Amino acid sequence: MSQPVVVDSVAALRTQIHDWRRDGLRVAMVPTMGALHDGHISLVRIALEKAERCVVSIFVNPTQFAPSEDLDKYPRQLARDLDRLGAAKADLAFTPTVGEMYPAGFATKISVGGPSAGLESDFRPTFFEGVATVVAKLLLQATPDFAVFGEKDYQQLCVVRQLCGDLDLPVDIVGAPTIRDAHGLAMSSRNAYLDEAELKVARQLNVILRKTAVALAAGAHQNDATEEAIRDLIAAGFQKVDYVEARESLTLAPWRRNREGRLLAAAWLGKTRLIDNVGVPAA
Amino acid sequence: MSQPVVVDSVAALRTQIHDWRRDGLRVAMVPTMGALHDGHISLVRIALEKAERCVVSIFVNPTQFAPSEDLDKYPRQLARDLDRLGAAKADLAFTPTVGEMYPAGFATKISVGGPSAGLESDFRPTFFEGVATVVAKLLLQATPDFAVFGEKDYQQLCVVRQLCGDLDLPVDIVGAPTIRDAHGLAMSSRNAYLDEAELKVARQLNVILRKTAVALAAGAHQNDATEEAIRDLIAAGFQKVDYVEARESLTLAPWRRNREGRLLAAAWLGKTRLIDNVGVPAA
C-alpha cells in the first residue's frame, strides 16, 4: 500500500510545500494527534476536495494536556496511521518531535477569549491556550490555503476560527461534520479506552443530546432540558457529567431561541472523558 | 514630492503585496507608530537594501498603552509622515484604523516570555503583550520577507525575535542600529515632548550609559556601576530612573562578563519617559 511522504522537520515541510506552490498547487492541512480513525480520514477527504495536496500533521501536543490528563497513555500508532493516510491519498505526513515544536527557550503563549469561555475551559483551564499556540505554529509552519477541523471538537473549531480571524492568519478554516459509528457514537481516538460495556453506554451520549436538542427546538426551558439530559446520562451509566449546555452555534455566546444553537456536552465513563455536540435549529 | 501609495485595509495591502510577489519582488516591512524621524527613515533605507519593495505601517496601537500612558497625546502627523516616506522611496504606507485592526469581538492575546521579563515589563506590565499581538497581526497581514525593527527599543526587538521564532512566523527580523542626534540623543517620537532645557538633560542619558558600559567592560562591579549611573542621571536633571541594568545582548538573561552585554535604561524627564541602550563588550 502506498504511504505519504513523511517529514519531521519544519524545514523539510516547507521545502515540499514551497515546491507545490511553485507548481500552482493548493495545499490543505489536517492537524491531528494521530491514532487516526474514520473521522480523521473524512477530514483528509474534505481537504482533497478543497486543494490538490493534503498535509496531515501528527503531533500529540503536550501543552494542551494538564498534568492530571492522559498525555502518556494517549494512543500512538504511527505505522498504522501512515497506512491509513496512504489509503486516503494524503500526500504528506508531518510528524515533528516535541523538541522540533518546542525547542529549549520556547516562551510564547496565545490566549483566545470569546468562544473559549466556559464549557471545556471550566474543566481544562489551559487546554485552549495549548491548542491555539500549537495550531498557530502548525499553520505558520505549513502556510496551507485551507485547514480542516472536525466539528466533533466544536468549541475548538470555534476557537481556531477566532484565532485565525484575530491574528489575520491567511488560511481558510473548514469545519467538517462529525463522523459516527452505526449507533451514533462520535469517532474519537479516546474511544479506544472503552471496553464493550462502556461502548454501549457511550453510544447513549449522542442519543440523549439529540433528544435534548429536539426538546429545546420544541420550546423546552433550557435549564430544564439540560438538567434532564444530565439525569439521563447518569441513568445511562455515565459516572459524571461535566456539562450539557446550549450555545449560539457561531459565537458560542449564550443561546437565544431565535439563533441557530449548538448543544455541547462532556461526560465521564470510568477514566475516559467523552465529548459530543449536536445542532439546535433556530425557533 | 512623490508619496507612497496609501492603503488602510488589510485586503488592499494584501492585493498590492500579492502583485509584487507575483513579479518576483521581495518585500520588507517597517512597522511604526508614525511621527517619523531619522531613525525610522534609516529603517526604510535598510529595508530597501534587503528587498525591492518597502511597506511602512503607521498605526498607533492602543493595546500597548496602559490607561495612564500617553496614547491620546502621542504625536500624529500623517501628511508629514507620507512626505518623509516619499522622500525615502518607501513604496507603500499601511495606515489601518483601530477598527480595521481590532474589529468588534476581537479576543486574542499573545504573551511572550523570555526576553520580556523585567526591564520595561516591570513598569509597563501589559506593554509587550500589546506589542507582540499587533506585530504578529501586521506580519501576518503583510507576510513580508523581512521586517526591520530599531535597536532603540532593544527589549522590543528581542521580544519580536522570540515571538517570530516561537510561532514559526516565516519572516526574517532585522535589527537596525539606533540613530542619534549630534549630541548622542537617540531619535524618538517622544523627544517632541521635550523643551530646550529638557533636551539638554536628555542628551546626558546616552553619555552616562556609554560611561557606565566602559566601566563595566573595565571590570566594575555591576551593582556599583548601575547605581552610580542612576545617581549621575538624577544629578544631570532626570526626575526618576525606572532602571539601569545590564543583560546578555541576545537573550536578555542576566549579564555575565564573558558574554556580550547590553546596558538598558529608562528614565523620566518631567512627564516624558525616555529609554536608551548601549552595547557592553564581553570581557
Side-chain angles (χ1 to χ4, degrees), chain A residues 14 107 109 111 113 137 166 168, chain B residues 14 107-108 111 113 137 166 168:
Chain A
R14 285 181 165 161
K109 283 179 186 170
S111 69
K137 280 179 66 70
D166 282 358
D168 305 283
Chain B
R14 284 180 166 161
T108 297
S111 70
K137 281 179 66 70
D166 282 357
D168 306 283

Side-chain angles (χ1 to χ4, degrees), chain B residues 136-196:
Chain B
K137 281 179 66 70
L138 289 167
L139 296 179
L140 286 164
Q141 289 164 348
T143 62
D145 302 282
F146 303 92
V148 189
F149 291 84
E151 289 185 348
K152 157 70 163 44
D153 298 289
Y154 194 86
Q155 191 179 12
Q156 170 178 282
L157 171 61
C158 295
V159 168
V160 167
R161 282 193 203 281
Q162 176 89 31
L163 166 75
C164 293
D166 282 357
L167 292 188
D168 306 283
L169 267 153
V171 56
D172 273 3
I173 301 301
V174 179
T178 302
I179 302 298
R180 304 179 178 280
D181 75 3
H183 309 273
L185 175 64
M187 296 284 171
S188 166
S189 303
R190 291 189 169 99
N191 292 349
Y193 300 152
L194 304 175
D195 63 27
E196 267 309 312

Side-chain angles (χ1 to χ4, degrees), chain B residues 124-143:
Chain B
R124 309 182 71 185
T126 61
F127 174 65
F128 285 120
E129 195 170 88
V131 167
T133 307
V134 81
V135 167
K137 281 179 66 70
L138 289 167
L139 296 179
L140 286 164
Q141 289 164 348
T143 62

Side-chain angles (χ1 to χ4, degrees), chain A residues 204-262:
Chain A
Q204 290 304 303
L205 177 53
N206 184 250
V207 173
I208 291 165
L209 285 184
R210 276 186 289 125
K211 193 189 91 173
T212 307
V214 168
L216 286 169
H221 187 279
Q222 211 172 132
N223 283 351
D224 294 347
T226 54
E227 280 167 22
E228 185 174 332
I230 291 170
R231 282 194 303 273
D232 288 353
L233 287 166
I234 298 293
F238 283 91
Q239 275 81 54
K240 193 160 77 98
V241 178
D242 280 351
Y243 60 84
V244 176
E245 198 173 328
R247 296 284 191 97
E248 279 191 20
S249 65
L250 233 67
T251 61
L252 293 191
W255 182 55
R256 289 173 293 173
R257 277 178 194 292
N258 58 343
R259 302 289 183 94
E260 203 188 324
R262 201 86 195 175

